[in-house]
């Protein structure tokens, strides 16, 4: 970060001691005010629940321009990566800072492919769950359990350990997600097959059975790979911040990523794709397009607590570029499957059109986000709705790891420990029980 020649001056109207604070510039985006000396020099904290105006770190990985609706991974626009690269290239980019050349691409793909199996004991661990357990409950358990199997890559301060753990996590997440799915439907687990692509291997582990050969559909595989690319990283969102804070204690990478999985599950975050599809199915069930007006009225009624899931974003105040790419992928997949008239897709596009013309959404800059269309694509591919967020977690694992590694490698990092404004009971003495 580059020191700005502008300073921030804080003064207090009661004349208590003020402070001059340095400003720093980044490559893109808002400057930051360095408040690290604020408490020492003024005895005061800043106050920013939800961190709307707070940068928790400096990062070189991803940049979002919310006003423009722009998303860059290591400087490359998401549109170009989605069109010209595959997910493993994107993993290499996020982890190492640039796209691989031919040899690096071959070596990296081989390295990941050779780590896709999980320890056989994992299936016995998995059998402890109810068959109808939510896949995210299972995945949170499975990812945390990886630290019980891979003691040789749990020292987060050892760069070799971090490298091995990164490859293991990226390679094994598809296997674990597919196992969680197969366990839920009572089918046998399908082992990874090394001659398939990352996304092709995942599709086979999901949909193949031992009874007959399975040939992945290239259009659906490409769509799955693109879904992975679009979900790979996204600055300091809630789950990434969770991973950073968890990892800042020095815990092992598997435990930190498991914390990210748990946070992503929430409907305000990664769980929104499942919630968005359930919302569309509810509207469809209660009358479809004709009922959209009624539903929008409910959303606008604060007392209803109904939100338009898949809409709105803390950073994007314009169309989420991932939603545009996801809508294109919808067209491709539904076209390939002869589902041009998929009622869910038509309903989603009608709902989007109505919302984008309604002042409630326009005035609040609420646009479709990545979760609005992703559920329709995944449903068309055959992914069951409860598994949507697990697939989001699969894709986001590389972003979490890249951000975690960046933090551990940052000389400025310390264990994260926010402060608070205490508004509870003033100091008081305990009374004996007969006086209470
Ligand atoms: C992801 O952070 C990331 O980068 C996340 C993510 C990633 O890749 O990691 O992009 C992935 O989590 C995408 C977001 C998925 N969540 C949803 O689609 C759930 C629905 N969206 C909302 O819950 C909401 O938009 C959030 C949580 C996404 C953002 O909320 P903010 O930034 O805290 O905004 P807010 O709640 O203060 O909303 C501002 C106003 C409020 O109305 P007023 O109080 O001004 O009258 O907009 C309203 C909100 O009520 N509003 C919505 C709405 N989202 C916000 N009203 C109806 N439907 C919505 N979806």
């Amino acid at each position: 970060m580059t020191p700005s020649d502008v300073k921030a001056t804080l003064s207090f109207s009661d004349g208590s001691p003020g402070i001059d604070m340095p400003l720093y510039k980044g490559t893109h985006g808002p400057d930051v005010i360095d408040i690290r000396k604020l408490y020492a020099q003024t005895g005061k904290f800043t106050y920013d629940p939800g961190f709307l105006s707070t940068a928790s770190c400096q990062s070189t990985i991803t940049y979002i321009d919310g006003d423009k609706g722009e998303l860059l991974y290591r400087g490359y626009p998401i549109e170009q990566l989605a069109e010209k690269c595959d997910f493993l290239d994107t993993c290499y980019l996020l982890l190492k800072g640039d796209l691989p050349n031919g040899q690096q691409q071959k070596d990296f793909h081989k390295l990941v492919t050779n780590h896709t199996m999980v320890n056989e004991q994992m299936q016995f661990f998995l059998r402890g769950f109810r068959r109808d357990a939510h896949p995210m409950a299972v995945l949170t358990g499975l990812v945390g359990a990886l630290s019980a199997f891979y003691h040789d890559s749990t020292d987060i301060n050892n760069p070799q350990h971090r490298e091995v753990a990164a490859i293991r996590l990226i390679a094994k997440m598809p296997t674990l997600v597919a196992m969680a799915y197969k366990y839920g439907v009572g089918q046998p687990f399908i082992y990874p097959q090394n001659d398939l692509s990352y996304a092709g291997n995942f599709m086979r582990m999901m949909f193949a059975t031992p009874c007959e050969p399975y040939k992945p559909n290239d259009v659906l595989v490409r769509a799955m790979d693109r879904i992975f690319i679009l979900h790979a990283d996204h600055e300091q969102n809630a789950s990434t911040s969770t991973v950073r804070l968890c990892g800042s204690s020095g815990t092992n990478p598997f435990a930190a990523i498991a914390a990210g999985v748990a946070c992503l599950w929430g409907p305000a975050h990664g769980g929104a794709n499942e919630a968005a599809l359930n919302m569309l199915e509810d509207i469809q069930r209660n009358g479809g397009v004709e009922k959209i007006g009624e539903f929008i009225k409910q959303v606008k009624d604060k007392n209803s607590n109904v939100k338009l899931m898949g809409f709105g974003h803390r950073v994007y105040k314009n169309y989420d570029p991932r939603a545009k790419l996801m809508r294109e992928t919808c067209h491709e997949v539904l076209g390939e499957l002869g589902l041009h008239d998929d009622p869910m897709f038509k309903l989603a596009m009608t709902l989007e059109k109505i919302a984008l013309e309604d002042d409630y959404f326009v005035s609040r800059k609420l646009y479709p986000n990545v979760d609005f269309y992703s559920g329709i694509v995944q449903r068309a591919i055959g992914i069951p709705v409860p598994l949507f967020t697990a697939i989001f977690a699969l894709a986001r694992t590389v972003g979490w790891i890249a951000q975690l590694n960046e933090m551990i490698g940052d000389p400025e990092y310390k264990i994260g420990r926010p402060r608070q404004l205490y508004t509870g009971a003033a100091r008081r003495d305990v009374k004996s029980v007969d006086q209470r």
Side-chain angles (χ1 to χ4, degrees):
M1 61 188 178
T2 316
S4 161
D5 46 21
V6 176
K7 292 265 175 285
T9 301
L10 179 65
S11 61
F12 297 96
S13 55
D14 64 358
S16 46
I19 176 175
D20 279 348
M21 293 168 285
L23 264 68
Y24 293 105
K25 289 183 169 312
T27 315
H28 299 307
D31 295 352
V32 295
I33 302 169
D34 183 347
I35 60 165
R36 284 174 287 186
K37 294 202 169 59
L38 180 77
Y39 178 53
Q41 294 190 15
T42 69
K44 294 178 175 61
F45 296 143
T46 57
Y47 183 65
D48 186 15
F51 312 115
L52 282 91
S53 301
T54 297
S56 61
C57 62
Q58 56 177 306
S59 181
T60 61
I61 300 171
T62 296
Y63 174 69
I64 302 168
D65 184 322
D67 295 329
K68 278 199 256 174
E70 183 179 57
L71 169 59
L72 309 176
Y73 289 168
R74 300 282 191 184
Y76 294 109
I78 191 72
E79 294 83 355
Q80 294 183 31
L81 293 169
E83 190 202 324
K84 298 179 178 154
C85 300
D86 69 15
F87 179 64
L88 283 185
D89 292 344
T90 307
C91 289
Y92 188 97
L93 171 68
L94 290 169
L95 290 173
K96 298 181 185 287
D98 216 328
L99 287 165
N101 61 32
Q103 191 54 49
Q104 291 163 335
Q105 187 183 59
K106 229 186 259 109
D107 295 346
F108 187 73
H109 284 221
K110 189 162 178 295
L111 187 60
V112 171
T113 300
N114 289 342
H115 281 81
T116 46
M117 282 212 297
V118 293
N119 187 301
E120 278 293 284
Q121 287 295 101
M122 287 295 268
Q123 54 184 301
F124 304 117
F125 174 70
L126 202 136
R127 289 195 197 291
F129 291 104
R130 285 173 43 151
R131 291 275 181 181
D132 62 351
H134 192 289
M136 285 300 278
V138 174
L139 194 63
T140 307
L142 290 177
V143 175
L146 286 174
S147 47
F149 289 93
Y150 299 109
H151 301 124
D152 59 343
S153 61
T154 51
D155 176 1
I156 202 164
N157 294 304
N158 177 328
Q160 282 69 40
H161 281 215
R162 289 206 300 270
E163 170 79 19
V164 171
I167 298 299
R168 280 175 164 154
L169 279 158
I170 292 166
K172 297 178 193 310
M173 280 302 267
T175 312
L176 294 177
V177 171
M179 286 174 78
Y181 168 62
K182 287 298 199 186
Y183 183 70
V185 296
Q187 286 185 4
F189 302 128
I190 300 295
Y191 284 94
Q193 190 169 298
N194 289 353
D195 60 354
L196 292 173
S197 69
Y198 188 86
N201 184 38
F202 174 65
M203 296 285 273
R204 182 177 171 279
M205 292 190 290
M206 280 287 295
F207 300 119
T209 67
C211 319
E212 56 195 22
Y214 173 85
K215 177 156 178 9
N217 172 312
D218 291 344
V219 173
L220 302 190
V221 168
R222 181 68 190 129
M224 197 79 249
D225 191 79
R226 179 178 291 179
I227 288 172
F228 293 159
I229 292 174
L230 297 181
H231 287 83
D233 193 51
H234 215 236
E235 285 192 2
Q236 306 311 316
N237 58 83
S239 54
T240 298
S241 300
T242 299
V243 169
R244 278 179 173 257
L245 196 55
C246 184
S248 74
S249 73
T251 190
N252 69 78
F254 304 106
I257 301 303
V261 174
C263 175
L264 187 75
W265 191 2
H269 190 15
N273 52 21
E274 178 179 357
L277 201 96
N278 290 335
M279 170 191 75
L280 290 169
E281 285 181 339
D282 283 351
I283 297 171
Q284 191 68 8
R285 215 181 359 262
N286 298 318
V289 175
E290 290 71 49
K291 289 290 177 190
I292 288 181
E294 214 173 287
F295 176 73
I296 294 282
K297 218 181 286 167
Q298 252 193 315
V299 170
K300 289 153 73 170
D301 168 12
K302 290 285 177 210
N303 304 321
S304 73
N305 263 335
V306 172
K307 283 201 184 287
L308 180 50
M309 299 312 278
F311 260 66
H313 198 277
R314 174 63 55 78
V315 179
Y316 288 122
K317 300 308 170 193
N318 199 328
Y319 213 105
D320 181 337
R322 302 170 298 175
K324 277 187 197 146
L325 291 161
M326 201 60 83
R327 193 177 52 194
E328 277 167 33
T329 308
C330 262
H331 278 298
E332 286 166 22
V333 167
L334 296 173
E336 170 69 13
L337 298 172
L339 298 172
H340 295 282
D341 299 334
D342 177 76
M344 206 61 78
F345 187 45
K346 289 167 98 77
L347 177 67
M349 289 198 291
T350 310
L351 183 54
E352 173 193 335
K353 186 173 178 313
I354 293 172
L356 294 183
E357 288 163 0
D358 185 307
D359 185 54
Y360 177 91
F361 298 93
V362 174
S363 63
R364 290 169 176 80
K365 298 188 176 178
L366 302 176
Y367 291 87
N369 59 50
V370 67
D371 292 311
F372 189 63
Y373 285 104
S374 71
I376 299 166
V377 191
Q378 294 184 74
R379 179 175 162 274
I381 291 174
I383 308 278
V385 176
L387 207 75
F388 289 176
T389 311
I391 287 178
F392 192 153
L394 184 169
R396 185 53 58 90
T397 292
V398 63
W400 288 331
I401 293 166
Q403 298 272 352
L404 180 61
N405 289 349
E406 180 177 68
M407 177 189 75
I408 298 294
D410 181 345
E412 289 193 324
Y413 113 87
K414 297 178 180 314
I415 184 168
R417 206 282 186 211
R419 303 305 299 270
Q420 63 175 15
L421 174 68
Y422 176 68
T423 55
R427 195 187 187 289
R428 53 184 171 163
D429 298 324
V430 174
K431 293 193 180 77
S432 60
V433 71
D434 56 355
Q435 290 177 325
R436 286 178 218 156

